[in-house]
Amino acid sequence: MAADPPASGLERWRGAAGWWRRRSLRVRLTVVAAAVLALGLALSAWVFVDVLTRALVGTIDEGIHQRAREAVALSDARRLDGPIVTTDNTIVQVISRDGRIIGATGNTDRLVPLLSAESRAAALAEGGGRFLDGRPYGIPGVLRVTVLSADNGTTVIAARSFAEVQGSIRAAGHVLLIGTPLLMVLLAAASWVVIGRTLRPIDELRRGATEITGTARSRRLPVPEAHDEVHSLAMTLNDMLARLEDAGARQRALVSDAAHELRSPLASIRLQLEVALNHPEGQDWRETAEGALEDTLRLARLAEDLLALARMDEGRPSRREPVDLNELVSRTADRYGIAADLPAATLTVTGDAMDLGRVLTNLIDNAVRHRTAKVAVALTQADSPTPRTAEITITDDGPGIPAEDRERVFDRFTRLDTARSRDDGGAGLGLAIVRTTLHAHGGTIHLTDASPGLTAVVRLPLT
């Protein structure tokens, strides 16, 4: 059986990326925070050790340079008549032009210079200090050495053991090597706790969301006390739930009202057919058919109205094309034998001509059904409240609508106990369709008193 081919680098990277994406947000944030902290602590430790080393080396260089300057002064003054004395264990050698040691401290060799002639020349050219292995000279450890020149070709070598500095740096390194991981673990644990508490409101939102079901009523998500991004998210989600709840309530009311409206014509059709079948000998079948047809047409109108509302509830017209309001108003009014008052200029809006025609038909039909003598239809261009707005008014001289009911009549399945009640089988959806359609086209409608009668004022934004 052949072995599986090894995974390519891209496949391994994709697998690692997929594993990372499957981790929880708390784990990912903690890992990222710990990685950043580890990098920061490591960089800080390196900088600290480097700065400490430079500072200690600078201190040694300053000390041996001072001792070398003192030896140079003694050499230039011809006062090297005895051993050179230092108080800080600095090694000093004074070497003549011919390479002989003519002066030295008691802690160094008086026969072998610490640096050869070539090394002394190089150190003088470079300046500053350098490191030197002291073991060949019987001195354990590393030395820090500096070289200065005196009169008559004399050179002065000053050196000090670097062991103390190495010990200090090593101790600091051990402290950092042990303390940095511990500090990183503590910071990672603190990050885990802080991130967990930060994400706790989100987890509460999640648990609250799981408790909300399709049959729940007035459920809201918990809102944290802190006015932060999670608080804004919770408020936004609760607003969304409120809108969904309102939409659900409207849908349930629509279904209930639609079922109630469907029940009456269906019961009427059923009754007429049962009576006709039970008493066929005395039945006027034409009258029965006309009654059933009337109820069927009522059902058809109700179905068309419900479909129109369902489509317009999407919030936008099905088509967006230029609509000539002059022609649309004139054609709709002519069907009722009404002469519309039109402006000289052509007014054009963007939307669905069929939907806007339905709006005019519903409004004019209502006005015609409730008029006493006449109905007036007018189209004008209004500059208030919105510039470039077309205004359509349909006025009748009927009984009108009380002011407190002029907004309620736009609700679905709403009828008033006045002359404008259902006298022709209407379901109370006409004005609801009108407002929904106009909102989808960016327009508005309101009713005003015509004294006598009522005026419906429609405003649409012009193209």
Side-chain angles (χ1 to χ4, degrees):
M1 182 176 180
D4 294 334
S8 63
L10 179 60
E11 292 175 346
R12 288 195 296 270
W13 181 86
R14 288 177 176 174
W19 176 88
W20 174 254
R21 287 193 297 268
R22 288 192 295 271
R23 301 306 97 189
S24 67
L25 181 59
R26 186 180 188 183
V27 170
R28 285 184 288 171
L29 289 176
T30 303
V31 170
V32 171
V36 173
L37 289 172
L39 181 61
L41 290 174
L43 182 61
S44 300
W46 180 82
V47 171
F48 174 76
V49 172
D50 183 69
V51 171
L52 177 63
T53 302
R54 291 176 182 273
L56 294 176
V57 171
T59 301
I60 291 180
D61 286 347
E62 183 180 355
I64 60 177
H65 187 272
Q66 180 64 29
R67 299 296 174 266
R69 291 297 303 169
E70 294 173 356
V72 168
L74 292 174
S75 175
D76 292 344
R78 311 285 182 178
R79 295 172 57 188
L80 294 173
D81 51 358
I84 300 174
V85 179
T86 60
T87 59
D88 53 3
N89 294 325
T90 300
I91 300 172
V92 178
Q93 289 180 335
V94 181
I95 304 171
S96 64
R97 183 191 297 273
D98 57 6
R100 292 183 301 105
I101 298 176
I102 59 177
T105 55
N107 57 354
T108 186
D109 196 341
R110 299 182 63 88
L111 298 177
V112 181
L114 293 176
L115 295 175
S116 63
E118 294 79 6
S119 298
R120 293 196 299 272
L124 286 172
E126 295 173 0
R130 59 169 51 191
F131 290 104
L132 175 68
D133 187 1
R135 289 176 297 179
Y137 306 97
I139 302 174
V142 179
L143 300 176
R144 185 69 176 174
V145 181
T146 188
V147 180
L148 296 179
S149 62
D151 294 341
N152 302 321
T154 301
T155 56
V156 176
I157 301 175
R160 185 182 297 175
S161 174
F162 198 68
E164 293 182 2
V165 174
Q166 285 181 319
S168 300
I169 296 174
R170 190 177 298 110
H174 289 163
V175 171
L176 293 175
L177 186 63
I178 297 174
T180 300
L182 292 177
L183 182 59
M184 188 188 70
V185 171
L186 290 176
L187 292 176
S191 300
W192 175 267
V193 174
V194 171
I195 292 172
R197 292 185 177 180
T198 303
L199 296 178
R200 184 178 301 168
I202 298 180
D203 190 57
E204 293 176 356
L205 289 179
R206 180 190 60 80
R207 288 197 298 267
T210 58
E211 295 173 359
I212 297 177
T213 63
T215 58
R217 297 290 188 271
S218 300
R219 293 303 305 271
R220 294 295 182 268
L221 298 176
V223 178
E225 295 181 359
H227 291 271
D228 53 8
E229 290 77 4
V230 180
H231 180 276
S232 301
L233 175 62
M235 295 295 294
T236 302
L237 292 177
N238 281 335
D239 290 341
M240 180 191 69
L241 289 174
R243 293 193 299 271
L244 292 176
E245 184 178 328
D246 291 341
R250 289 196 302 268
Q251 292 297 327
R252 288 189 296 271
L254 177 62
V255 171
S256 176
D257 292 337
H260 179 74
E261 292 293 332
L262 290 171
R263 184 184 304 167
S264 296
L266 288 175
S268 176
I269 294 174
R270 177 180 178 180
L271 178 61
Q272 294 179 69
L273 294 177
E274 287 179 347
V275 170
L277 291 175
N278 291 332
H279 305 280
E281 65 284 354
Q283 184 65 33
D284 186 347
W285 288 99
R286 180 178 181 84
E287 182 180 352
T288 300
E290 290 176 351
L293 178 60
E294 181 180 352
D295 289 328
T296 303
L297 292 176
R298 180 180 167 192
L299 286 174
R301 286 195 300 272
L302 178 59
E304 291 175 0
D305 290 344
L306 291 174
L307 289 174
L309 281 174
R311 180 169 57 83
M312 297 309 300
D313 276 341
E314 296 179 1
R316 59 184 179 85
S318 57
R319 289 188 296 272
R320 298 191 64 85
E321 56 189 10
V323 178
D324 186 343
L325 283 183
N326 299 56
E327 179 184 355
L328 183 64
V329 172
S330 176
R331 185 174 65 248
T332 307
D334 286 344
R335 289 205 300 266
Y336 293 88
I338 301 172
D341 184 8
L342 304 176
T346 299
L347 304 183
T348 304
V349 298
T350 300
D352 190 325
M354 184 178 297
D355 289 339
L356 293 177
R358 186 186 186 96
V359 167
L360 294 176
T361 299
N362 286 351
L363 293 176
I364 297 176
D365 186 68
N366 281 341
V368 169
R369 283 190 289 110
H370 300 99
R371 68 183 175 183
T372 300
K374 63 179 182 178
V375 172
V377 179
L379 171 64
T380 57
Q381 179 176 337
D383 293 329
S384 177
T386 304
R388 294 285 299 163
T389 300
E391 183 175 281
I392 305 172
T393 58
I394 297 97
T395 304
D396 66 72
D397 57 353
I401 295 177
E404 62 272 14
D405 293 328
R406 289 174 189 166
E407 189 65 25
R408 189 167 64 88
V409 294
F410 292 102
D411 295 337
R412 299 174 183 182
F413 298 102
T414 298
R415 302 186 191 91
L416 302 180
D417 296 329
T418 65
R420 290 181 180 268
S421 62
R422 181 176 64 191
D423 55 7
D424 61 347
L429 292 176
L431 291 179
I433 293 174
V434 167
R435 170 163 285 185
T436 304
T437 304
L438 290 175
H439 282 179
H441 286 77
T444 62
I445 182 173
H446 65 276
L447 304 177
T448 61
D449 187 16
S451 298
L454 190 74
T455 298
V457 182
V458 173
R459 288 192 174 95
L460 288 167
L462 292 172
T463 302

